[in-house]
Amino acid sequence: MEKNKAIFFDRDGVLIEAPIVDGKPKSSKYLNQIVLCKNIKEICEKYKNSYLLIMVTNQPDFKRGINTKKNIEIINGYLKKKLKLDDVFVCYSDDERCFNRKPNPGMILDAQKKYNIDLKKSYLIGDRWRDIGAGNKAKCKTIFINKNYNEKNIFKAKYTIKKIKEILKIIK
């Protein structure tokens, strides 16, 4: 049986605009705050027939009491429908040892099992070091969208871009 290919997307900063606080992206709390990142809808449409489109997102604000699971699920459901994503994997933990919390690869490996994905032919697109770490650990090709956040990128991505549209030159 032939394996599937996937594009794994981070949520805040990749699929939707993220509010920036102290030079770092934060999660949007409510659906009415959601603004899709420029060109993301077109990118999802382009790859829909050749790749599984899967969102992998850390949402520790629930565990920290900053947001509700309901608000997070409403936003994720909206994005799944609007961008025609195949699935959404969420880690609500704020424990760095949690296997599903990026930079750990748990969410990607869960998706691999569920959908029979060839990770070496798959991509992870992220805007933070945690995303790239998870993609690298899962053996995906990683694409880092450099938004010049005030944080050190601990992991090296296979590709670094400035705008999401540049992935059209990378993913065939």
Side-chain angles (χ1 to χ4, degrees):
M1 185 164 94
E2 191 175 331
K3 290 191 169 196
N4 294 305
K5 298 182 295 187
I7 300 174
F8 297 97
F9 295 93
D10 175 49
R11 188 184 93 169
D12 302 287
V14 175
L15 295 179
I16 58 176
E17 295 294 338
I20 307 298
V21 178
D22 296 328
K24 294 182 183 176
K26 298 295 177 194
S27 292
S28 297
K29 286 187 188 169
Y30 305 105
L31 186 59
N32 66 4
Q33 297 174 312
I34 299 307
V35 176
L36 292 177
C37 285
K38 188 177 171 157
N39 299 311
I40 197 63
K41 195 164 176 11
E42 295 77 11
I43 283 169
C44 289
E45 286 168 1
K46 175 174 176 35
Y47 294 113
K48 181 70 183 144
N49 294 326
S50 46
Y51 288 85
L52 291 168
L53 305 179
I54 299 173
M55 181 172 80
V56 288
T57 180
N58 287 347
Q59 293 298 321
D61 285 356
F62 166 71
K63 189 79 170 166
R64 295 173 184 159
I66 298 169
N67 203 352
T68 65
K69 199 175 260 192
K70 183 177 182 194
N71 284 344
I72 294 166
E73 287 171 350
I74 287 169
I75 291 169
N76 292 348
Y78 168 80
L79 292 173
K80 185 176 180 189
K81 187 174 177 188
K82 184 87 173 162
L83 299 174
K84 296 181 174 69
L85 303 176
D86 292 291
D87 212 338
V88 170
F89 290 79
V90 184
C91 179
Y92 293 102
S93 177
D94 68 351
D95 182 346
E96 297 299 331
R97 295 166 301 185
C98 176
F99 191 62
N100 284 332
R101 181 172 165 74
K102 294 180 287 183
N104 297 319
M107 289 186 281
I108 297 169
L109 298 178
D110 286 348
Q112 176 192 31
K113 283 182 205 130
K114 184 173 180 180
Y115 293 104
N116 190 32
I117 297 170
D118 184 341
L119 294 176
K120 287 185 172 71
K121 293 182 179 171
S122 298
Y123 294 84
L124 177 126
I125 303 170
D127 64 330
R128 300 189 76 184
W129 65 270
R130 292 180 173 283
D131 307 318
I132 302 310
N136 286 350
K137 289 175 184 179
K139 307 279 190 269
C140 294
K141 294 174 200 148
T142 50
I143 301 174
F144 176 62
I145 304 171
N146 187 352
K147 297 194 172 187
N148 293 313
Y149 297 139
N150 185 20
E151 63 185 10
K152 189 175 187 319
N153 197 349
I154 299 166
F155 298 98
K156 182 153 177 42
K158 183 165 176 73
Y159 305 97
T160 299
I161 59 177
K162 288 278 188 197
K163 294 181 173 22
I164 189 93
K165 203 170 186 176
E166 294 174 60
I167 72 164
L168 298 172
K169 296 176 191 152
I170 298 168
I171 303 176
K172 301 298 175 202

